[in-house]
Amino acid sequence: MKAGFVGLGSMGLPMARNLLKAGHEITVYNRSHERAELLRAEGAQLAGSPADASEAGIVFTMLADDVAVEEVVFGDRGIAAGAKNALHVSMSTISAAMSRRLAAAHRERGQSYVAAPVFGRPEAAAAAKLTIVAGGERGAVERCRPLLEALGQKVYVVGEQPWQANTLKIGGNFLIGSMLEALGEAFALMRKSDIDPALFLEIVNGNLFRSPVYENYGRAMLAGTFEPPGFKLRLGLKDVRLALAASDETATPMPFASLLRDHFLSGVARGYGEIDWSALAKVIAEDAGLK
Amino acid sequence: MKAGFVGLGSMGLPMARNLLKAGHEITVYNRSHERAELLRAEGAQLAGSPADASEAGIVFTMLADDVAVEEVVFGDRGIAAGAKNALHVSMSTISAAMSRRLAAAHRERGQSYVAAPVFGRPEAAAAAKLTIVAGGERGAVERCRPLLEALGQKVYVVGEQPWQANTLKIGGNFLIGSMLEALGEAFALMRKSDIDPALFLEIVNGNLFRSPVYENYGRAMLAGTFEPPGFKLRLGLKDVRLALAASDETATPMPFASLLRDHFLSGVARGYGEIDWSALAKVIAEDAGLK
Amino acid sequence: MKAGFVGLGSMGLPMARNLLKAGHEITVYNRSHERAELLRAEGAQLAGSPADASEAGIVFTMLADDVAVEEVVFGDRGIAAGAKNALHVSMSTISAAMSRRLAAAHRERGQSYVAAPVFGRPEAAAAAKLTIVAGGERGAVERCRPLLEALGQKVYVVGEQPWQANTLKIGGNFLIGSMLEALGEAFALMRKSDIDPALFLEIVNGNLFRSPVYENYGRAMLAGTFEPPGFKLRLGLKDVRLALAASDETATPMPFASLLRDHFLSGVARGYGEIDWSALAKVIAEDAGLK
Amino acid sequence: MKAGFVGLGSMGLPMARNLLKAGHEITVYNRSHERAELLRAEGAQLAGSPADASEAGIVFTMLADDVAVEEVVFGDRGIAAGAKNALHVSMSTISAAMSRRLAAAHRERGQSYVAAPVFGRPEAAAAAKLTIVAGGERGAVERCRPLLEALGQKVYVVGEQPWQANTLKIGGNFLIGSMLEALGEAFALMRKSDIDPALFLEIVNGNLFRSPVYENYGRAMLAGTFEPPGFKLRLGLKDVRLALAASDETATPMPFASLLRDHFLSGVARGYGEIDWSALAKVIAEDAGLK
């Protein structure tokens, strides 16, 4: 199949590469040219703009946030100004509100729109092991499904409203953030009680939770090495803001999310915005008077 | 080996039974006589008081809370008034402060003391698959180890201070409580966004967390059947209070624990104290205006 | 002096009237015509659009929120499309972000801009006893000062950045909201302790706080009559959102504001959005299991 | 009248002195002898123990916390072991639970008990301008009323249950603590927005709240001089704990109180326990990355 791909960051690049590997004809666009060049050598066509990339009929976007998506869709030579019957598959973690705005704008122009955010880190993207959560009209989802299946191990369809996929993804990230905070607090309590937090983690995760997420983040917190970041704290803050925005629109009180916001915000205020979001444990430890 | 066992509730009864099955000579005591009689048929001796039960040399207690432990140890014919060189192995989930008080009181009387709280539900107790976390002087821990090994699948030693085992256990329960709250909030957000929370759980736990704890509690919340309780909400409140007490003593701010307290407290105020603690999801849903 | 006035709601109408009374020539515009007609009888001119109202050289806006201001300034025949050298004096409680956007848009068009939000209820507006907090370039503030002085008892100048006046106003409303929450919690504690909350209020406010704000809101909570609303709960939620937006932009954790948001949100979810914001006490009482 | 007075700290000393000035015959007891000697010169008798002080028939206690009260009442030669028909008037800020325990213990011994905590700082105590909140049986309250009137400007009677007076007092201190937190957050927002917090305080308190409490604490926060302490942060933490204990017993969620606890606790963890409790603003400012 033919497809365009816009956004070749740490997630987008391996994803576009997997589409190429699976035999699809991919036209890529990236704001900084160099990353696009990397893929040319592997068989990709280069597009001069997001609008050009949409000429392939289906165009994926994998971008940092609402602002980046707005630019790529509504900016000069953006996707909205591209091919009339194009299907835009937005895989970024963006707000439900932006997703609704994209749905309306594409519908107005005769274009189609599917929101298909993913769970998984860059390594999962490279291994085509992402979990993909799609929302949109059945026909549109089926149209891009073969491509989605080249990107992930499993494709779930949430509903006919694209924004529902975004809210589901946001809910998942909120759960991880809550886990970071809870683990951070428990570790601080152990440290102030002269209990080895590594033993605590071994006991509770080994026997109780048995979750790779606790395992991985727990280890990061124990080591106290938050660099290089797997996921930056300021992006964690961004995702909590998305959760709070969704909570606001639906009148769903989410006090854990509120508290997470304040702690991530304090992390940014203390200069930890660019290190891993598990540095939440650092904020918590400092509040407890630990070094 | 010979041992006494005090407290034959839903946890204590199967535990004492496992000691019997493993060939140990067990003398039991329970406030209400009937449950003790159950074990007599299986070979247990009956003691007339906790003090009498301590004559076996090692005496286990498995009780509801600090108040019950206080009664059994310091009350009339309590363990403190029992055998001079007895070793008291306290397996209840109690406060670090009470554990320190027990340690001091037993030391004063020439008795020994080990705190050995457990992770696991009654089914795990019945299957001798508890996870046991022991704290105390090495010699004392080794003295009771063969018996502990008949009760659980793994025995961890935290340190020489018994209360550290209690704090570790409290930290583990705090993590579960936090998970309930986070899941409850995420479910409310899904419901108010017309997203099937069962699908949400399938996606995030199946692919991300992969934890039996999320799986089990998530299912309970989805079904909305909080009866019969696996663990009563008012006991969840009790355990959060223990976490906050530990946080207080060590000057460790734990804002998630504080918030949990207020939600569990509201659960009690709304009349949910006797149903399962996953009914926290019910409190959260009501706050969001859901039926 | 000549001036335009856009927005004749419960605040704007008495304010425009006071300008007329003080002898100024006022041209008014309101979306619904009837309220404008009320003032015609008192000597006001009617404008056909916000742009027309700006022909007076100075144009005031007193509107509900960011969305209403956006419409009046950037909509069809909005102020931005009005008189070239007009000075826009925005008296609404809006976000710092919107205020910055207005400042930039007006500057671009050669227009001037002052933010001058007010403290005070409709009665204070009618009595020309508002407290006015102005932000903007000195010359612009001085240009409208005589008019501001006809509206309030005191005009404070915060700084040269208009948005600072908005943030200051938002901070003030946050303090009132915090007072509502604290008072609501204390009242719930008194009621559940069989202590007369009226006596509590008499003692603590009469002797300690001596504040009319505690007095007035305390009385409203005691009476439990939240209708007609002095200030609607959903506007309280709006203002807390503004506080959180300001906190977000400046990386200032504000956990009380976060908690207020969740409680106001729960109030909206329970159907209290249109009653007085002191109904926060009702949300709190319900959470405590009170009728 | 004759009365004993136990506890001559910064509050108790001027209070006992006022009783002397009013012509009453006062017998004093204090753990450290020197402060008692100060009053001997002014006409007081010295007692050798709290029990001895109770021989006067009415005995006041003004002590730091539950632990100090426990010692003075139940310790060696404590009030409980004193005069049979003595009336104990407890003016300390203690828990409702301790107050109930005192009531029961005194009743058992044929003694009477009134809880009469006060609002006011040492200066108010010296000026006999305390606000006194009494709880207890009518006869007992009337018996000590002439003495209470020599200590304060106003005596309120809450109810027949002494602990209700303690809960009311705790509720008042909770309101002050909440005000500190709210003001601290607002100040941090102003500072991070380059708005002079002194101007903010002038505007919102001068026009809106008009409360001496905001005025005084606001000034302390602005100056940033938290020493010497008017009321130590660790005592603020103590009082929030009392509020949380009362909330716990009555199943009244108090999320502001929970949050206050965590912030005061962090203050203690950061080493601010011995400076003024308005240093809460310092904790908040640090969390916002301010120096």
Side-chain angles (χ1 to χ4, degrees):
Chain A
M1 291 176 72
K2 291 172 76 168
F5 203 106
V6 177
L8 301 172
S10 58
M11 292 295 288
L13 186 74
M15 289 166 74
R17 182 174 280 143
N18 279 334
L19 291 175
L20 285 169
K21 279 191 200 162
H24 300 292
E25 291 174 47
I26 306 301
T27 306
V28 300
Y29 174 80
N30 195 58
R31 208 169 36 176
S32 103
H33 212 59
E34 293 143 41
R35 292 184 71 92
E37 284 296 339
L38 281 174
L39 286 181
R40 197 217 292 256
E42 302 177 31
Q45 305 280 330
L46 301 203
S49 70
D52 292 348
S54 77
E55 295 296 335
I58 296 182
V59 59
F60 291 87
T61 52
M62 190 59 177
L63 300 155
D65 54 23
D66 281 28
V67 172
V69 169
E70 182 168 23
E71 170 65 24
V72 153
V73 176
F74 299 107
D76 193 39
R77 299 284 307 141
I79 292 171
K84 281 298 163 234
N85 56 358
L87 163 60
H88 175 199
V89 184
S90 164
M91 307 193 75
S92 320
T93 298
I94 56 171
S95 68
M98 173 57 81
S99 201
R100 280 191 294 268
R101 193 177 146 201
L102 292 174
H106 288 306
R107 193 183 314 115
E108 221 168 68
R109 289 163 176 79
Q111 300 172 322
S112 303
Y113 173 65
V114 164
V118 305
F119 286 104
R121 294 285 190 98
E123 310 86 72
K129 294 211 162 153
L130 295 170
T131 295
I132 298 172
V133 182
E137 285 172 20
R138 189 171 300 265
V141 172
E142 291 314 312
R143 189 169 152 204
C144 62
R145 185 186 281 275
L147 294 157
L148 294 178
E149 285 173 350
L151 294 172
Q153 61 188 348
K154 186 103 191 226
V155 178
Y156 292 91
V157 181
V158 185
E160 301 249 320
Q161 300 297 330
W163 65 266
Q164 293 179 311
N166 300 100
T167 293
L168 192 149
K169 160 68 180 170
I170 289 165
N173 277 20
F174 158 68
L175 282 188
I176 305 177
S178 294
M179 188 270 283
L180 295 180
E181 171 75 26
L183 207 51
E185 293 185 14
F187 276 11
L189 180 62
M190 296 307 134
R191 289 173 64 193
K192 295 204 75 165
S193 305
D194 278 322
I195 298 167
D196 180 6
L199 179 65
F200 173 74
L201 182 64
E202 184 188 337
I203 295 174
V204 298
N205 195 44
N207 296 280
L208 200 56
F209 298 108
R210 299 207 294 269
S211 169
V213 179
Y214 280 92
E215 183 62 25
N216 296 338
Y217 282 116
R219 239 182 347 222
M221 287 179 186
L222 289 172
T225 49
F226 305 114
E227 289 170 286
F231 188 68
K232 291 180 182 175
L233 191 142
R234 69 174 169 74
L235 294 179
L237 174 56
K238 184 206 78 165
D239 284 2
V240 172
R241 281 175 186 144
L242 296 181
L244 289 170
S247 111
D248 225 55
E249 291 161 9
T250 56
T252 311
M254 294 181 73
F256 262 23
S258 290
L259 204 147
L260 274 174
R261 186 202 80 117
D262 285 309
H263 269 193
F264 278 129
L265 207 56
S266 190
V268 167
R270 294 173 200 204
Y272 308 151
E274 302 301 317
I275 62 176
D276 194 73
W277 68 331
S278 54
L280 200 62
K282 199 170 155 70
V283 172
I284 295 162
E286 289 172 0
D287 286 357
L290 289 162
K291 60 171 189 243
Chain B
M1 292 175 70
K2 293 173 74 169
F5 203 105
V6 178
L8 300 173
S10 58
M11 291 294 291
L13 185 74
M15 289 166 74
R17 182 174 280 144
N18 280 332
L19 291 174
L20 286 168
K21 279 191 201 163
H24 300 292
E25 291 174 46
I26 307 301
T27 307
V28 300
Y29 174 81
N30 195 56
R31 208 170 34 175
S32 103
H33 213 62
E34 293 143 42
R35 293 186 69 91
E37 285 295 339
L38 280 174
L39 286 182
R40 196 216 293 253
E42 303 176 32
Q45 304 280 332
L46 300 202
S49 69
D52 291 348
S54 77
E55 296 295 336
I58 296 183
V59 59
F60 291 87
T61 52
M62 190 59 177
L63 300 154
D65 53 23
D66 281 28
V67 172
V69 170
E70 183 168 20
E71 170 65 25
V72 153
V73 175
F74 299 108
D76 193 39
R77 299 286 309 142
I79 293 170
K84 280 298 164 237
N85 57 358
L87 164 60
H88 175 200
V89 183
S90 164
M91 307 194 75
S92 319
T93 298
I94 55 170
S95 68
M98 174 57 82
S99 201
R100 278 192 294 268
R101 193 178 147 202
L102 293 174
H106 288 306
R107 193 182 314 115
E108 222 167 66
R109 288 161 176 80
Q111 300 171 321
S112 303
Y113 174 64
V114 164
V118 305
F119 286 104
R121 295 283 190 100
E123 311 86 72
K129 294 212 162 152
L130 295 170
T131 295
I132 299 172
V133 182
E137 283 172 21
R138 188 171 300 265
V141 173
E142 290 314 311
R143 190 170 151 202
C144 60
R145 185 186 282 275
L147 294 158
L148 294 179
E149 284 174 349
L151 294 172
Q153 61 189 346
K154 186 104 189 224
V155 178
Y156 292 91
V157 181
V158 185
E160 302 248 320
Q161 300 297 329
W163 65 266
Q164 293 179 311
N166 300 100
T167 293
L168 193 149
K169 160 69 179 169
I170 289 165
N173 277 20
F174 158 69
L175 281 189
I176 304 177
S178 294
M179 189 269 283
L180 295 179
E181 170 76 26
L183 207 51
E185 293 186 13
F187 276 10
L189 180 61
M190 296 306 133
R191 289 174 63 193
K192 296 205 72 165
S193 306
D194 279 321
I195 298 168
D196 179 7
L199 179 64
F200 173 75
L201 182 64
E202 184 189 337
I203 294 174
V204 299
N205 195 44
N207 295 278
L208 202 54
F209 297 109
R210 301 207 292 270
S211 170
V213 180
Y214 280 93
E215 184 61 25
N216 296 339
Y217 282 117
R219 236 177 355 216
M221 288 181 187
L222 289 173
T225 48
F226 304 114
E227 290 169 282
F231 188 68
K232 291 180 182 176
L233 192 142
R234 68 173 169 74
L235 294 180
L237 173 57
K238 183 206 81 166
D239 283 2
V240 172
R241 281 175 185 143
L242 297 182
L244 288 170
S247 113
D248 226 53
E249 291 161 9
T250 56
T252 310
M254 294 182 72
F256 262 23
S258 291
L259 204 147
L260 274 173
R261 186 202 80 116
D262 285 308
H263 268 193
F264 278 128
L265 206 55
S266 190
V268 167
R270 294 174 200 205
Y272 309 151
E274 302 302 317
I275 63 176
D276 194 71
W277 67 332
S278 55
L280 199 62
K282 198 170 156 69
V283 171
I284 295 164
E286 289 172 0
D287 286 357
L290 289 161
K291 55 169 189 248
Chain C
M1 292 176 71
K2 293 172 74 168
F5 203 106
V6 177
L8 300 173
S10 58
M11 291 295 289
L13 186 74
M15 289 166 74
R17 182 173 281 145
N18 280 332
L19 291 175
L20 285 169
K21 279 191 200 163
H24 300 292
E25 291 175 46
I26 307 301
T27 307
V28 300
Y29 173 81
N30 195 57
R31 209 170 35 176
S32 103
H33 213 61
E34 294 142 41
R35 292 183 70 90
E37 285 296 341
L38 281 175
L39 286 183
R40 198 216 291 253
E42 304 177 31
Q45 304 280 330
L46 300 203
S49 70
D52 291 348
S54 77
E55 295 297 335
I58 296 183
V59 59
F60 291 87
T61 52
M62 190 59 178
L63 300 154
D65 54 24
D66 281 28
V67 172
V69 169
E70 183 168 21
E71 171 65 24
V72 152
V73 175
F74 298 109
D76 194 39
R77 300 287 306 143
I79 293 171
K84 280 297 164 239
N85 57 358
L87 163 60
H88 175 200
V89 183
S90 164
M91 307 193 75
S92 320
T93 298
I94 56 171
S95 68
M98 173 57 82
S99 201
R100 280 192 292 269
R101 194 178 146 202
L102 292 174
H106 288 307
R107 193 183 313 115
E108 223 169 64
R109 288 161 175 81
Q111 300 170 321
S112 302
Y113 173 66
V114 164
V118 306
F119 286 103
R121 295 283 189 101
E123 312 85 73
K129 292 212 163 153
L130 296 170
T131 295
I132 299 173
V133 182
E137 285 173 19
R138 188 170 301 265
V141 172
E142 291 313 313
R143 191 171 150 200
C144 61
R145 186 186 280 274
L147 295 157
L148 294 179
E149 285 173 349
L151 294 171
Q153 61 189 348
K154 186 104 188 225
V155 178
Y156 292 91
V157 181
V158 185
E160 301 248 321
Q161 301 296 331
W163 65 266
Q164 293 179 310
N166 301 99
T167 293
L168 192 150
K169 160 69 180 168
I170 290 164
N173 277 19
F174 157 70
L175 281 189
I176 304 177
S178 294
M179 187 270 283
L180 295 179
E181 171 75 25
L183 208 51
E185 294 185 13
F187 276 11
L189 180 61
M190 296 308 133
R191 289 175 62 193
K192 296 205 73 165
S193 306
D194 279 321
I195 297 167
D196 180 6
L199 178 65
F200 173 74
L201 182 64
E202 183 188 338
I203 295 174
V204 298
N205 194 45
N207 295 279
L208 201 55
F209 295 108
R210 300 208 292 271
S211 170
V213 180
Y214 280 90
E215 182 61 26
N216 297 338
Y217 282 117
R219 238 181 350 218
M221 288 180 186
L222 289 174
T225 49
F226 304 115
E227 288 169 283
F231 188 67
K232 290 181 182 174
L233 191 142
R234 68 172 169 74
L235 294 180
L237 174 56
K238 185 206 79 165
D239 284 1
V240 171
R241 281 176 186 141
L242 296 182
L244 289 170
S247 113
D248 225 55
E249 291 160 9
T250 56
T252 310
M254 294 181 72
F256 262 23
S258 291
L259 204 147
L260 274 175
R261 186 203 80 115
D262 285 309
H263 269 191
F264 278 128
L265 207 55
S266 190
V268 167
R270 295 173 199 205
Y272 309 150
E274 302 301 318
I275 60 175
D276 194 72
W277 68 331
S278 55
L280 199 63
K282 198 169 154 70
V283 172
I284 295 163
E286 289 172 0
D287 286 358
L290 290 163
K291 67 192 171 220
Chain D
M1 290 176 71
K2 292 172 76 170
F5 203 105
V6 177
L8 301 173
S10 58
M11 291 296 288
L13 185 72
M15 289 166 73
R17 182 173 282 145
N18 280 331
L19 291 174
L20 285 169
K21 279 190 202 165
H24 301 291
E25 291 174 47
I26 306 301
T27 306
V28 299
Y29 175 81
N30 195 57
R31 206 170 37 176
S32 104
H33 212 61
E34 294 144 40
R35 293 184 69 91
E37 285 295 341
L38 280 174
L39 286 182
R40 197 216 292 253
E42 303 176 31
Q45 304 279 332
L46 300 203
S49 70
D52 291 347
S54 76
E55 296 295 335
I58 297 183
V59 60
F60 292 87
T61 53
M62 189 60 177
L63 300 154
D65 53 24
D66 281 27
V67 173
V69 169
E70 182 167 23
E71 170 66 24
V72 153
V73 175
F74 300 107
D76 193 39
R77 300 285 307 141
I79 292 170
K84 280 297 163 236
N85 57 356
L87 162 61
H88 174 199
V89 183
S90 164
M91 307 194 75
S92 320
T93 298
I94 56 171
S95 68
M98 173 56 82
S99 201
R100 280 192 293 269
R101 194 177 147 202
L102 292 175
H106 287 306
R107 193 182 315 117
E108 220 167 70
R109 289 162 177 80
Q111 300 172 320
S112 303
Y113 173 65
V114 165
V118 305
F119 286 104
R121 294 287 189 98
E123 310 86 72
K129 293 210 162 153
L130 296 170
T131 295
I132 299 173
V133 182
E137 284 171 21
R138 190 171 298 264
V141 172
E142 291 314 312
R143 187 168 153 204
C144 61
R145 187 187 280 274
L147 295 157
L148 294 179
E149 285 173 349
L151 294 172
Q153 61 190 347
K154 186 106 190 223
V155 178
Y156 292 92
V157 181
V158 185
E160 300 250 320
Q161 299 297 329
W163 64 267
Q164 293 179 311
N166 301 100
T167 293
L168 193 150
K169 160 69 179 170
I170 289 165
N173 277 19
F174 157 69
L175 282 188
I176 305 178
S178 293
M179 188 269 284
L180 295 180
E181 172 74 26
L183 207 53
E185 294 185 14
F187 276 11
L189 180 61
M190 296 307 133
R191 289 174 63 193
K192 296 205 73 165
S193 305
D194 279 322
I195 297 167
D196 180 6
L199 179 64
F200 173 75
L201 181 64
E202 183 189 337
I203 294 174
V204 299
N205 195 43
N207 296 278
L208 202 54
F209 296 107
R210 298 208 293 269
S211 169
V213 180
Y214 279 91
E215 183 61 26
N216 296 339
Y217 281 116
R219 237 180 352 219
M221 288 180 185
L222 289 173
T225 48
F226 304 114
E227 290 169 283
F231 188 68
K232 290 181 183 175
L233 192 142
R234 68 173 171 74
L235 294 180
L237 174 57
K238 184 206 80 168
D239 284 1
V240 172
R241 280 176 186 142
L242 296 182
L244 289 170
S247 112
D248 225 54
E249 290 160 9
T250 56
T252 311
M254 295 181 72
F256 261 23
S258 290
L259 204 147
L260 274 175
R261 185 203 81 118
D262 285 308
H263 269 193
F264 278 127
L265 207 54
S266 191
V268 167
R270 294 172 201 206
Y272 309 151
E274 302 302 318
I275 61 177
D276 194 74
W277 67 333
S278 55
L280 199 62
K282 198 170 155 71
V283 171
I284 295 163
E286 289 172 1
D287 286 357
L290 289 162
K291 64 183 178 237

